[in-house]
Amino acid sequence: MLTLIASGMSNRDIAGHLFVSEGTVKTHINNLFAKAGVRDRAAAVTFAFQHGLGPTSE
């Protein structure tokens, strides 16, 4: 989920990619933010790149 956020996908895009509802995506993102200690998508992207979880350039 974090890698998908870091790649610039919207909640709708993520939901389609994972075959789940947008509500499910929102729940997972909120849980992810709490666990990572971040407040928003920008901070989550920074966290992802700092931990080697950003998208690959292949």
Side-chain angles (χ1 to χ4, degrees), residues 15-39:
H17 184 76
L18 298 177
F19 304 104
V20 297
S21 73
E22 284 186 64
T24 299
V25 171
K26 289 178 185 179
T27 298
H28 284 297
I29 288 174
N30 287 333
N31 290 335
L32 182 138
F33 285 4
K35 288 180 182 182
V38 298
R39 293 176 34 155

Side-chain angles (χ1 to χ4, degrees), residues 4-25:
L4 298 176
I5 293 170
S7 70
M9 294 179 91
S10 67
N11 287 1
R12 179 174 289 192
D13 294 336
I14 294 169
H17 184 76
L18 298 177
F19 304 104
V20 297
S21 73
E22 284 186 64
T24 299
V25 171

Side-chain angles (χ1 to χ4, degrees), residues 8 16 48 58:
E58 293 180 32

